[in-house]
Amino acid sequence: MSNGADSGAAGRSAVNDKSLAVGAADLDASSISLSRQEAPDGMWRGLGWLFAQRAALTIVFVVLWSLAASHVPAFVLPGPEKVIQALVNLARSDTFAHDVLTTLMRILIGFVLATAVGTPLGLALGSSRVLATFFDPLLAVMNTVSSAIWAVFAIIWFGISNATTIFVVFMTAMPLILTNVWQGSQNVDKLHVDLARSFRMSRAQILRKIYLPTILPYFFSGARLAFGFGWRVSLVAETLGSSDGIGYRLRQAADLVQTDQVFAWTLLLVVLMLIFEGGLLKPLERRLFRWKPV
């Protein structure tokens, strides 16, 4: 009798344990399903809150701008409506598309060249102490020289041409990318490098498989900074040494005291930069580093 009772109790216990296991599995599955459903909702709420913040900031800025413009002459500070109207008139002109595309082309070419040169140089300096010590003074000089000075040199060397703006953007952006990549290379785990050498990996393989993944966050930080500076210095270069482009039109409008057009070109530049920053660089960075914890 005792053996029968014990076996019956054991059977009921096994059934209960199985039921508990099935219940736990169902609970885990339902929790995962709920978390997956809540993730998009949380993302959309975050985006909605961010959009509301940006909209509120824009409204406050426009209101303050309108109030300030109402107390001074229009040639000193035109109001938002005058600037928008000037931008519409510029967009209808025959040279508008050419000027905008020309400036964008110069900035992108200078930025791509800066990336192509600065990234491998930063990797080389970060992986070799001898090269870093040798070239450190030169890099300090390049970071010290102002973009306006590079623009003067570019006018002397290249004259009034596309190369002037491209060179200034390159000389401004390249040291920033190089420095950030160099800093990222110095944070590479030396144990990983030693392990790769023990497996007889070549120097190129070590750079590609160990250094490159480590420096990518530093590269994007430097690239975004360099791209922002590239926008600014391109205007300096086009103002001094170009016969077309947004910078040239800005100088032309300033010479004729067409302040509404000056503000219109400036507003266009800000919008274009925000589009590239928020619509291209930031989404690309989030996609590449989506594995990183927030």
Side-chain angles (χ1 to χ4, degrees):
M1 293 293 292
S2 177
N3 292 338
D6 291 342
S7 62
R12 286 193 299 272
S13 177
V15 170
N16 290 335
D17 291 343
K18 185 176 181 180
S19 300
L20 288 173
V22 172
D26 292 340
L27 183 60
D28 291 340
S30 61
S31 299
I32 293 173
S33 177
L34 286 174
S35 64
R36 287 178 177 175
Q37 291 175 358
E38 291 174 358
D41 294 338
M43 181 185 69
W44 285 114
R45 282 197 298 270
L47 290 176
W49 176 241
L50 180 63
F51 177 79
Q53 288 180 320
R54 297 292 186 267
L57 181 62
T58 303
I59 292 172
V60 170
F61 174 76
V62 171
V63 169
L64 293 176
W65 180 8
S66 300
L67 289 175
S70 63
H71 291 84
V72 295
F75 71 87
V76 175
L77 180 63
E81 66 285 350
K82 290 183 178 296
V83 173
I84 296 298
Q85 185 59 49
L87 184 59
V88 171
N89 293 335
L90 289 174
R92 293 173 178 172
S93 65
D94 296 334
T95 60
F96 178 80
H98 171 75
D99 290 323
V100 173
L101 292 177
T102 299
T103 297
L104 290 177
M105 178 198 69
R106 291 165 177 165
I107 295 171
L108 291 176
I109 291 176
F111 179 73
V112 169
L113 290 176
T115 302
V117 174
T119 303
L121 284 180
L123 279 170
L125 296 181
S127 60
S128 174
R129 184 173 297 177
V130 175
L131 289 176
T133 304
F134 184 79
F135 286 104
D136 185 50
L138 179 61
L139 185 60
V141 171
M142 294 175 65
N143 281 320
T144 303
V145 177
S146 170
S147 57
I149 297 177
W150 289 125
V152 173
F153 286 146
I155 293 172
I156 295 172
W157 295 336
F158 305 112
I160 307 299
S161 66
N162 289 333
T164 298
T165 303
I166 293 171
F167 175 79
V168 175
V169 173
F170 170 81
M171 292 304 299
T172 304
M174 191 272 291
L176 295 173
I177 295 175
L178 191 157
T179 302
N180 277 267
V181 172
W182 183 2
Q183 181 182 3
S185 300
Q186 292 176 330
N187 290 325
V188 171
D189 193 337
K190 301 303 179 184
L191 292 177
H192 294 168
V193 178
D194 294 337
L195 183 62
R197 287 172 179 166
S198 68
F199 283 102
R200 300 184 182 278
M201 292 177 63
S202 66
R203 190 175 186 84
Q205 288 176 319
I206 293 174
L207 287 174
R208 187 176 71 254
K209 296 184 178 181
I210 297 178
Y211 277 86
L212 188 60
T214 304
I215 62 96
L216 272 179
Y218 296 89
F219 165 77
F220 269 92
S221 176
R224 288 171 58 184
L225 185 63
F227 193 75
F229 273 100
W231 278 101
R232 300 184 188 103
V233 302
S234 67
L235 297 184
V236 176
E238 288 182 343
T239 299
L240 297 176
S242 182
S243 59
D244 54 5
I246 296 177
Y248 171 75
R249 298 301 174 188
L250 268 169
R251 186 190 68 186
Q252 194 177 53
D255 291 341
L256 298 174
V257 199
Q258 296 172 332
T259 315
D260 55 345
Q261 292 192 17
V262 173
F263 274 78
W265 284 116
T266 305
L267 178 63
L268 176 65
L269 273 174
V270 171
V271 171
L272 289 175
M273 187 173 178
L274 290 176
I275 290 174
F276 274 97
E277 175 78 8
L280 180 62
L281 293 179
K282 282 186 178 179
L284 181 60
E285 186 175 4
R286 284 196 297 265
R287 181 173 180 82
L288 288 176
F289 305 121
R290 60 184 181 275
W291 50 269
K292 293 181 65 178
V294 180

